[in-house]
Amino acid sequence: MMRSESGLSLISALWITTVLSVLATQFLYSIRLEQRTQANFADRTKYYYAAKAGVEMAIAYLRADETDFDSLGEIWAQPITNQIDDGIQIGRMLIYEATIVDEGAKANINTMDSDTLNRLLEFVGYQQDVNLGEEEQTLAQQIEAAKPFRTIPDLGRIEGMTEQLLYGDATVTTQTVSDFQSATTTTSTNAFSSANGLEQGVIGGLANYITVYSTDKNTSADGQQRVNINQADAEQIRQIEPNGQTIFEMDEAEAVIGGRSYDDIGDLLDASAVSDELFDQIRDRISIDSEEDSDRININTADEEKLRDLDGIEDGISARIVAHRDQNGEFDNVDQLKDIKLITEDEFRNIVDRITVVEGETIEGLININTAPAEVLLLLPNMTEEIVQAIITRRETSPEEPDPSLEGIEGNPFRGITDLLEIEGINMNIFKEIAGRVTFRSHGFIITGLGIDANGKTVAKCDSVISRGGSEIQFKQWRYY
């Protein structure tokens, strides 16, 4: 009996010892797991602040950028790598990296016209369904109807939008820049290397080329607010004086107003100095063959002073009538007065950076010719591969004569819109189509900061959308992951 009881006691003791061992092991494991969790949380927190330090360093670079242009040859466009103190473990350093991406290097989906959108969709591999019903909308029409978008991923909600179409698939997508060229113009077929780091012969999805964040100040290169030719009064238009040169007299300013509405600043080149309203007003008082003592004024012989006798014609338009007659010969009929342009090509070149058709302190959707890759530049009207390659070559090649103002900056960035006229192949007809769509600077950027451990692994990442279109840098979006 005693032996039996001793055996039971031994077994009970062993069971208790086993249970306690298991509980102790689980407890120690829980403690180690908790410690590891806390350590991981501490590490993620530290690396988050390291990533944030990268963003702050990038912002400091942008604040220090005092040039009146933004190009890929500047310091801010280079990757940033640095370290900060751990803050907990003495002597340990945390690595961070940061990159600044100019959103002006992309096409703004919210301001893109339907023709450009269709060309871009074709470029990234979209094929229109030929069996689409009359009441069904194309993908481009759905995108147009859904504007404005807050973020690029918002396009994923559009019916018919696929992940491959939006983000690309390098294993499937094999179109080349030449394929895009054939969709935009028929004047060239040779492919050239992409300027945005994509592998030649492979393109990405829409997200590679579009943005919703591109913005620029609506000011001239010297910081003056541009004049909105669709809203300004005659006196404001008269004050457009590049280098102190008077472009518009009062009657010409009135003609600018009479020619509204302008869809683009290039439309000003097509505006007539003698509007239909003014012509109807003077028609009964002009001729091409009247005698000097006639009640009508002979527009083929009258000097500027005589022409100013006509109501609505003052110093500006009278001078343009005489200049047009001297250059082109006598008028065949009075209707040809309406052929006289309100502004010359040289005058347009001088004021192009001082006028706008957009109201407000900022303007959205301009493409930065200093940073945009070939694929985006080809979206501009009448662009060919040769012209685009010439633009990229110009901005990447240092000027023949050293320019002190470009010290520390690689290449030869465009300093103004009119610099495009120096590019072979860009004539005034092309320039007027693109002048209102491009810029040489940017104020919308995406900054990415990374917190990286000693093994080179990214532990934390911060994305920040910022705008420096105002007096201070503004955060538009912030994301941590």
Side-chain angles (χ1 to χ4, degrees), residues 400-416:
E400 294 181 1
E401 296 185 6
D403 185 343
S405 65
L406 295 178
E407 185 177 355
I409 297 172
E410 296 180 4
N412 185 21
F414 294 92
R415 310 287 289 275

Side-chain angles (χ1 to χ4, degrees), residues 177 180 192-196 371-379 388-389 392 395:
V177 177
F180 188 27
F192 58 89
S193 298
S194 169
N196 64 353
T371 60
E375 295 90 340
V376 174
L377 291 172
L378 279 167
L379 288 171
V388 168
Q389 185 61 71
I392 294 173
R395 75 190 190 195

Side-chain angles (χ1 to χ4, degrees), residues 377-396:
L377 291 172
L378 279 167
L379 288 171
L380 294 168
N382 300 312
M383 285 293 100
T384 66
E385 286 188 30
E386 289 78 12
I387 293 176
V388 168
Q389 185 61 71
I391 290 173
I392 294 173
T393 299
R394 146 67 197 258
R395 75 190 190 195
E396 293 181 351

Side-chain angles (χ1 to χ4, degrees), residues 127-328:
Q127 295 182 350
Q128 180 64 50
D129 185 357
V130 295
N131 297 318
L132 201 65
E134 292 184 3
E135 297 182 358
E136 294 181 282
Q137 289 185 317
T138 65
L139 182 59
Q141 289 172 331
Q142 292 183 70
I143 292 174
E144 290 278 0
K147 291 180 181 179
F149 298 96
R150 291 183 63 252
T151 67
I152 296 304
D154 288 346
L155 272 79
R157 303 191 185 102
I158 303 294
E159 184 179 353
M161 180 66 69
T162 65
E163 183 177 357
Q164 179 181 329
L165 193 58
L166 185 55
Y167 296 108
D169 183 348
T171 63
V172 177
T173 308
T174 57
Q175 288 177 288
T176 64
V177 177
S178 283
D179 294 325
F180 188 27
Q181 172 65 15
S182 65
T184 56
T185 179
T186 58
T187 60
S188 178
T189 56
N190 296 324
F192 58 89
S193 298
S194 169
N196 64 353
L198 294 177
E199 181 183 350
Q200 184 175 355
V202 178
I203 65 170
L206 285 173
N208 289 89
Y209 311 109
I210 61 175
T211 181
V212 296
Y213 304 121
S214 56
T215 184
D216 186 16
K217 286 183 178 179
N218 202 5
T219 59
S220 60
D222 58 5
Q224 299 298 312
Q225 191 70 28
R226 290 176 175 142
V227 175
N228 187 336
I229 56 176
N230 277 330
Q231 296 188 5
D233 59 33
E235 190 56 40
Q236 290 172 320
I237 293 172
R238 287 201 64 198
Q239 291 174 5
I240 305 174
E241 297 181 333
N243 303 317
Q245 175 188 358
T246 298
I247 301 295
F248 299 108
E249 298 292 348
M250 182 56 73
D251 56 340
E252 294 169 306
E254 294 291 349
V256 172
I257 294 173
R260 293 171 177 168
S261 300
Y262 303 102
D263 293 327
D264 195 84
I265 58 175
D267 293 345
L268 193 60
L269 265 175
D270 297 323
S272 174
V274 180
S275 65
D276 289 339
E277 182 180 356
L278 176 58
F279 181 76
D280 290 341
Q281 183 176 318
I282 65 174
R283 183 168 192 165
D284 293 338
R285 293 204 56 208
I286 58 176
S287 74
I288 58 171
D289 55 8
S290 58
E291 298 295 332
E292 208 171 295
D293 58 352
S294 170
D295 291 337
R296 295 174 179 261
I297 292 177
N298 187 334
I299 58 176
N300 278 330
T301 59
D303 58 19
E304 292 183 31
E305 182 179 358
K306 187 66 174 178
L307 289 169
R308 288 195 291 271
D309 288 341
L310 296 168
D311 292 339
I313 293 183
E314 299 174 9
D315 293 348
I317 296 178
S318 63
R320 293 190 187 275
I321 292 174
V322 172
H324 179 88
R325 188 178 66 201
D326 291 344
Q327 183 175 356
N328 300 282

Side-chain angles (χ1 to χ4, degrees), residues 6 45 53 97 142 226 272 336:
S6 297
T45 301
E97 294 181 356
Q142 292 183 70
R226 290 176 175 142
S272 174
Q336 289 182 344

